[in-house]
Structure formats: C-alpha cells, structure tokens
Amino acid sequence: MTQTMLDENFDVEIITDIIESQLSQWRCHRITLNNIKWEIFDFDGNTVYSYFFNINFEDIEARIKLEDLRLNIIHYIESMKDDTTYDYYLNDLFR
C-alpha cells in the first residue's frame, strides 16, 4: 500500500492526474472519499493507495481545493466504462 500525506498547498491538477492514473490500473476497483482520508481499493477490498489531507477546514481555499479534487475524481470515475465505483462521506468537518 502506498500512503501519501498532503497539506493545503497541494496542486489540484497534479493530484487529479495521479489519482486518475491509479484508478485506471486494472487492480483498482473502488475509491472511498472520506473528507481527509481517501482510499483506493482492489477487487479483494484491500487498500492499494491512501491519501491523507492534512488541511485546516477553517481555511475556505483549502476546502475549495479539496472539493475541486473530489469533483474531478467523481467525474473521471463516472466517465470510465467499467465497474469502478466510489463512496463519498461528508461529516461535520465541512459544517
């Protein structure tokens, strides 16, 4: 499993490209987008890649960047012609 820690200075386009590349691999089947912890799973349910976003949720720009990234990934998955899926959880961190 590969773990990546990101702070509020992450580049949305670069991280989008990296995650899209990972999702296009045959072994990746599902991504869970859970606010600050994102995980990509294989067909057996094992975590292949994980991302931890160490950002201040009171920083509106950081929240916007994370939301942009989330939307990019969801749009990418929905455009794929396979059975790759995503789960998205929103909790009190955004409220």
Side-chain angles (χ1 to χ4, degrees):
M1 173 179 62
T2 303
Q3 293 185 345
T4 305
M5 296 285 292
L6 299 166
D7 63 13
E8 64 272 354
N9 296 317
F10 71 92
D11 184 293
V12 172
E13 295 305 317
I14 291 173
I15 302 303
T16 296
D17 290 343
I18 291 170
I19 294 176
E20 286 177 357
S21 173
Q22 292 168 343
L23 286 171
S24 68
Q25 296 174 15
W26 66 269
R27 66 182 179 161
C28 295
H29 178 63
R30 181 173 58 92
I31 185 170
T32 300
L33 312 169
N34 189 1
N35 285 331
I36 61 172
K37 182 180 181 185
W38 294 15
E39 293 180 289
I40 300 174
F41 300 93
D42 64 13
F43 284 89
D44 295 325
N46 300 314
T47 302
V48 181
Y49 301 101
S50 63
Y51 291 86
F52 296 95
F53 295 91
N54 186 20
I55 64 173
N56 177 0
F57 278 90
E58 293 181 13
D59 179 356
I60 191 73
E61 290 182 31
R63 289 173 53 183
I64 289 170
K65 286 173 63 172
L66 188 58
E67 181 67 9
D68 285 346
L69 179 60
R70 182 187 69 85
L71 291 174
N72 288 349
I73 299 306
I74 288 173
H75 290 162
Y76 176 75
I77 291 171
E78 290 177 345
S79 73
M80 296 175 77
K81 302 294 185 206
D82 63 12
D83 61 350
T84 302
T85 61
Y86 65 91
D87 297 315
Y88 177 60
Y89 303 101
L90 180 66
N91 61 27
D92 291 334
L93 288 175
F94 280 111
R95 294 185 184 136

